[in-house]
Amino acid sequence: WEGSRGGGSKVLDSRNLSVSWSQLRDVATELFCQLRVRQSRRQFCDREIWIMPSISFPVFKSELESKNSGGRAALILRRIPFVLTFQQRVELFYGFIRSDRKHMDSAGVNFQHGAGVGIRVRRDRVLTDGFESLTKIGQNIKGRVQVQFINSHGIAETGIDGGGLFKEFVTELLRSAFDPQLGLFCQTPHEFTYPNPTSFANPNFGEQHLAYFQFVGMVVGKCLYDGIIIEPQLANFFLRKLLGYRNFVDDLSSLDPEVYKNLLYLKKNSAEGLGLTFSVARDTFGDSKVVDLIENGANTAVTDENRLRFIYEMADFKLNREISAQSKAFVAGLNSVIRPDWLRMFAAEELDRLISGTPVIDVADLKRHTNYAGGYDEDHEVIRWFWSILDDDMDESDRRSLLKFSTSVSRSPLLGFQHLYPKFCIQRNSGDTDNLPTSSTCMNLLKLPRYATKAKLREKLLYSIKSSSGFYLT
């Protein structure tokens, strides 16, 4: 090949090239993957352009099941999984979990109702008791975990855990762990969660702070393994850490839009007179400390010549170095339940949906997968009113509030409500029809009195879901 002769361009003789097909394929694949990673940060083309419709998914699955690690299907899944649709990759993910369950069952891990590992948890010590109990059971975390709650008087609550109590337990545990007031995690301005960079100084945890990150990662892995959707949403840059990616400047927008905006300003404007150095002030539980971004950074001024390095170092510190130890601990816990190659089938925004569900509530799908109790059925007048109110009188925000009121999570299961466990149920609530609706979130149960009119049902229902009146965990 010969380029343009103008300007002294050189001639490239293909006879002097020694590039094998496998090398060319590897380079092209790496470029393809880099473009897909860029797409996940900032969309520059249609999502469908990455899909290879020529792949027969049944044949693809069959080849994977043959355990041919060097086959085409295994290679695609390992190198370019995004050429499969998201739905196909989700199906593979849950298929891997089903296979793993069979393997663990043959190894002695119990998945049967009424069996498995039993733990006792004080209601006012859910996080610490969960930490003490679950960190000791090893691979049994993948199996059935039977929870018995101890009330504030030290008395064991009655009832057998058929799955609802464990859901309640992990819901409360993660609500406590991710609470910014606890100091283990922080929230972005848009309320997405990520590790607190100064957790090492948290008096609540001390030297155990990394052990708690590993524990919380394990619990999130258990939720993924069991198909339990969690309410907190993880920040995009933290999700990328879970997938083994390093974050760059553009990812800073998902952590701190203001800092990201300032760095972009610095990139296009002079640094002179700003008084910046290669250092950053960090508040550690009330104690402010200056941290160097480079060696002797506090004494190194940012100039027009080195400002690009400053931008890189600041972003790298905020997104990678500052939370490195916490992220590694969290990932270790997550990967003790969910294999990393299963997760790497997904981009960060897809992993968010896998962990926290989807924000769109499909009313028709929910209706198809709803059970009734206490005298209600799908033809009952109150039930017809209920579905009419959801369809016609509620906006998407109201529907999410209703779902959270009833199940503790405001987002839908990834593959639809057929995968909600236990099934969503509407039960007739006996008593005064002036009472508000109530719920038992551990059983995904909504309790509705027999209201006399549709208007009264609408009034009481909207009041309850917007004020959380009548909300019960058990």
Side-chain angles (χ1 to χ4, degrees), residues 183-196:
L184 200 61
F185 288 86
C186 296
Q187 286 189 337
T188 69
H190 297 297
E191 298 186 347
F192 291 98
T193 299
Y194 67 98
N196 186 339

Side-chain angles (χ1 to χ4, degrees), residues 1-13:
W1 173 87
E2 184 175 341
S4 171
R5 301 277 183 150
S9 298
K10 295 182 178 180
V11 176
L12 181 63
D13 189 345

Side-chain angles (χ1 to χ4, degrees), residues 274-317:
L274 296 180
L276 296 173
T277 64
F278 278 78
S279 63
V280 60
R282 182 167 67 180
D283 182 75
T284 307
F285 289 89
D287 181 25
S288 183
K289 181 181 179 182
V290 174
V291 179
D292 286 341
L293 299 177
I294 61 174
E295 186 177 353
N296 197 32
N299 297 314
T300 305
V302 178
T303 66
D304 288 347
E305 287 70 31
N306 64 22
R307 61 183 174 175
L308 292 182
R309 184 184 180 189
F310 172 78
I311 292 171
Y312 167 80
E313 295 290 352
M314 177 64 81
D316 187 51
F317 177 77

Side-chain angles (χ1 to χ4, degrees), residues 339-358:
R339 282 177 42 173
D341 54 314
W342 299 352
L343 296 177
R344 282 196 289 267
M345 291 190 294
F346 304 99
E349 67 275 11
E350 295 171 333
L351 183 57
D352 171 55
R353 293 166 62 188
L354 204 63
I355 294 173
S356 299
T358 175

Side-chain angles (χ1 to χ4, degrees), residues 57 61 64-65 67 77 86-104 224-227 338-339 341-342 345-346 354 414-415 419:
F57 190 58
K61 285 199 301 180
L64 281 180
E65 290 165 1
K67 308 297 183 183
L77 202 61
F86 177 61
Q87 194 78 10
Q88 289 169 339
R89 284 174 282 136
V90 170
E91 185 177 331
L92 290 175
F93 177 79
Y94 287 119
F96 293 150
I97 290 177
R98 286 192 296 271
S99 296
D100 191 70
R101 283 178 182 271
K102 292 178 182 179
H103 171 72
M104 299 307 298
L224 276 169
Y225 198 83
D226 285 0
I338 303 293
R339 282 177 42 173
D341 54 314
W342 299 352
M345 291 190 294
F346 304 99
L354 204 63
L414 189 61
L415 297 181
H419 294 280

